Amino acid sequence: MTETKAVKSEQTRALIVQTALRLFRERGYEATTMRAIAKEAGVSVGNAYYYYGSKEELIQAYYDELQDEHLAACRAVLDAETEFAPRLLGVLKARVDTMVPYHEFAGKFFKFAAEPTSPLNPFSAESGPARDSAVAIYREVVEGSDLKIDKEFRKELPELLWIYSMGIVLYWVHDSSPGCRKTYLLVERTVPLVNRMVSMSRLPGFKSVTRELVGIIREVRA
């Protein structure tokens, strides 16, 4: 009975999230209420609030779901490749692959997520778990590769790669090309540049610059 109840509970949670995302796409984030979500999902308002205390919590659940999809989509390349550039390329392409179905929604939703004080902002405290999961993927990109770089720079590189990926996401939001073709092109053209810059960091003339960069990152983070 307990296992059956747990399964039903997860099904209800998933139904509420999927219903919310559909209504956000159709009506807009601001115009969609928790009451409307509950009605469309066929649950009571109280039940909807039992699972998710606000629309913001629903978006955080969407972030988590998208992150899980991304991890699953890039598993094959992370398990098979050891070279840094192909690993990064595969992970970024998988990121775009998992986002494409939500492209229309992202365009309408972006103004809320871009607000610096919004809990929906990718840099907010509320988005911390999803952000940490994303950085962990780029940490795996680095740690599972044959990359030979300064150990201090190596520690900071995953977060820098995540910030780079956020730039890709920002471009994707505004990409109106068929199938987001230009976003894929941006990934394909910039990954070799990133690979070269990272590889150059171990050269004698660039080591001091790399260490200064690491110092700046840590000072800003503190």
Side-chain angles (χ1 to χ4, degrees):
M1 286 292 291
T2 303
E3 185 176 346
T4 301
K5 190 174 182 179
V7 170
K8 186 174 181 181
S9 178
E10 285 304 309
Q11 289 174 340
T12 302
R13 290 176 66 90
L15 174 62
I16 292 171
V17 172
Q18 294 306 316
T19 301
L21 289 176
R22 176 170 61 80
L23 292 181
F24 291 158
R25 287 194 298 268
E26 294 173 359
R27 306 179 186 180
Y29 175 76
E30 198 168 23
T32 301
T33 64
M34 287 294 287
R35 182 174 294 277
I37 293 168
K39 182 179 179 181
E40 286 287 321
V43 301
S44 69
V45 176
N47 204 16
Y49 274 110
Y50 171 78
Y51 289 103
Y52 299 100
S54 64
K55 291 193 296 182
E56 287 78 9
E57 287 187 17
L58 281 163
I59 292 297
Q60 294 300 338
Y62 157 69
Y63 286 165
D64 292 339
E65 184 177 303
L66 194 60
Q67 191 58 42
D68 289 343
E69 290 178 13
H70 181 212
L71 181 57
C74 62
R75 188 75 270 154
V77 70
L78 289 175
D79 288 345
E81 284 287 352
T82 57
E83 291 186 38
F84 174 70
R87 287 172 72 82
L88 180 59
L89 180 63
V91 165
L92 287 172
K93 281 188 171 182
R95 179 62 170 164
V96 181
D97 289 344
T98 56
M99 293 190 305
V100 164
Y102 304 99
H103 191 251
E104 184 178 353
F105 165 65
K108 295 176 180 177
F109 173 73
F110 176 72
K111 65 178 181 179
F112 299 101
E115 174 58 46
T117 58
S118 171
L120 305 178
N121 190 301
F123 296 90
S124 71
E126 291 83 354
S127 298
R131 182 172 61 250
D132 290 343
S133 295
V135 173
I137 291 179
Y138 294 102
R139 185 171 296 110
E140 187 173 353
V141 169
V142 174
E143 295 304 323
S145 74
D146 55 7
L147 199 59
K148 293 178 176 60
I149 54 176
D150 179 84
K151 65 178 182 178
E152 295 303 314
F153 181 47
R154 193 181 189 92
K155 289 179 184 177
E156 303 299 335
L157 185 55
E159 189 167 350
L160 290 174
L161 293 176
W162 173 73
I163 292 172
Y164 160 52
S165 76
M166 292 306 295
I168 299 293
V169 172
L170 178 60
Y171 183 85
W172 167 78
V173 169
H174 296 88
D175 184 5
S176 60
S177 63
C180 299
R181 180 184 58 81
K182 289 185 178 180
T183 302
Y184 286 103
L185 178 62
L186 180 65
V187 169
E188 291 168 0
R189 297 297 297 272
T190 57
V191 164
L193 292 176
V194 171
N195 182 47
R196 267 182 273 172
M197 287 189 288
V198 170
S199 298
M200 287 171 62
S201 70
R202 67 176 180 264
L203 298 177
F206 288 89
K207 282 185 178 179
S208 61
V209 176
T210 302
R211 288 170 185 167
E212 185 175 349
L213 174 61
V214 169
I216 292 171
I217 292 169
R218 292 176 177 174
E219 185 177 352
V220 170
R221 183 190 295 142

